[in-house]
C-alpha cells in the first residue's frame, strides 16, 4: 500500500474509529488473489467487543464507498482487534499489558520475561518470576532499553480474584 493511500485511509478512518472510543492501531493492505484485503486493527483500554468491530466495519464500508480512496478494484474489508501476540510498540500498549507476562528483547542483547506491574513515561516496573522455587524479584526497565516486546500467552495463570479467595 502506498504511503499516500495509507495516509488518506488513516485520515479518513481515524475520526470514525475515535468516535467509537477506539484507537486505530494499524491499517494493512494485501492481495488475496484478484482482490485486495484491507485489514483495520482497532483497540482500546477496555479491549474491543465483536459487536463494536461489526458496527465499525459497516460504518467504514459506507465511508469507503462514498470516496475513491480504494479505487475501482474489489476489496475485502476486515475490522478486528489486535491478536494476543501483537508486539508492544506504543506506550498505551504497555499500559494495557499491565498484569500480563511479557517477553522483552533487550537493546543491549538478551531476553527478559517478566510481568508488567506499572508503566510511566520513562519505563516499566516489572516482576521477574523466580526460577526453581525462588521468589520473584522486582526490576525497573527503561523504554530505551527495550528493542522488542510481546505479550506471552498464559494458559494456566490463576486470576487475581481466584488467588485472593
Amino acid at each position: 500500500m502506498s504511503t499516500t493511500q495509507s495516509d488518506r485511509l488513516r485520515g479518513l478512518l481515524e475520526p470514525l474509529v475515535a468516535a467509537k472510543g477506539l484507537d486505530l492501531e494499524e491499517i494493512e493492505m494485501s492481495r488475496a488473489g484478484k482482490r485486495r484485503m484491507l485489514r483495520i486493527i482497532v483497540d482500546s483500554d477496555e479491549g474491543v467487543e465483536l459487536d463494536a468491530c461489526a458496527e465499525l466495519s459497516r460504518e467504514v464500508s459506507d465511508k469507503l464507498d462514498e470516496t475513491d480512496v480504494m479505487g475501482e478494484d474489489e476489496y475485502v474489508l476486515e475490522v478486528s482487534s489486535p491478536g494476543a501476540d501483537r508486539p508492544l510498540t506504543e506506550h498505551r500498549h504497555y499500559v494495557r499489558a499491565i498484569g500480563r507476562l511479557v517477553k522483552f528483547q533487550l537493546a543491549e542483547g538478551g531476553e527478559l520475561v517478566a510481568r508488567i506491574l506499572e508503566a510511566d513515561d520513562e519505563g516499566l516496573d516489572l516482576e521477574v518470576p523466580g526460577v526453581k522455587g525462588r521468589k520473584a524479584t522486582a526490576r525497573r526497565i527503561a523504554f530505551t532499553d527495550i528493542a522488542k516486546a510481546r505479550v506471552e500467552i498464559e494458559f494456566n495463570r490463576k486470576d487475581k480474584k481466584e488467588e485472593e479467595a
Side-chain angles (χ1 to χ4, degrees), residues 61-82:
S61 180
D62 291 344
K63 185 60 107 174
L64 292 174
D65 289 347
E66 293 171 9
T67 69
D68 67 342
V69 72
M70 291 300 294
E72 296 298 318
D73 294 339
E74 292 183 21
Y75 64 92
V76 175
L77 173 64
E78 179 183 304
V79 176
S80 65
S81 62

Side-chain angles (χ1 to χ4, degrees), residues 43-112:
D43 202 4
S44 79
D45 291 344
E46 295 79 35
V48 182
E49 293 186 7
L50 186 59
D51 289 343
C53 285
E55 185 178 326
L56 182 60
S57 179
R58 286 188 292 275
E59 291 181 22
V60 166
S61 180
D62 291 344
K63 185 60 107 174
L64 292 174
D65 289 347
E66 293 171 9
T67 69
D68 67 342
V69 72
M70 291 300 294
E72 296 298 318
D73 294 339
E74 292 183 21
Y75 64 92
V76 175
L77 173 64
E78 179 183 304
V79 176
S80 65
S81 62
D85 62 346
R86 169 197 58 188
L88 305 177
T89 57
E90 303 284 336
H91 183 268
R92 68 178 177 265
H93 298 163
Y94 291 99
V95 171
R96 291 174 185 159
I98 289 174
R100 306 283 307 268
L101 197 63
V102 175
K103 184 176 193 177
F104 298 93
Q105 300 291 324
L106 304 176
E108 80 241 2
E111 295 183 344
L112 172 66

Side-chain angles (χ1 to χ4, degrees), residues 107-120:
E108 80 241 2
E111 295 183 344
L112 172 66
V113 177
R115 190 168 312 283
I116 298 176
L117 301 176
E118 295 289 329
D120 59 34

Side-chain angles (χ1 to χ4, degrees), residues 147-163:
K148 292 180 183 178
R150 189 177 301 271
V151 170
E152 291 282 280
I153 306 300
E154 296 180 88
F155 293 106
N156 59 357
R157 179 171 185 232
K158 289 182 180 178
D159 190 354
K160 271 235 190 264
K161 291 175 186 168
E162 289 178 33
E163 291 175 3

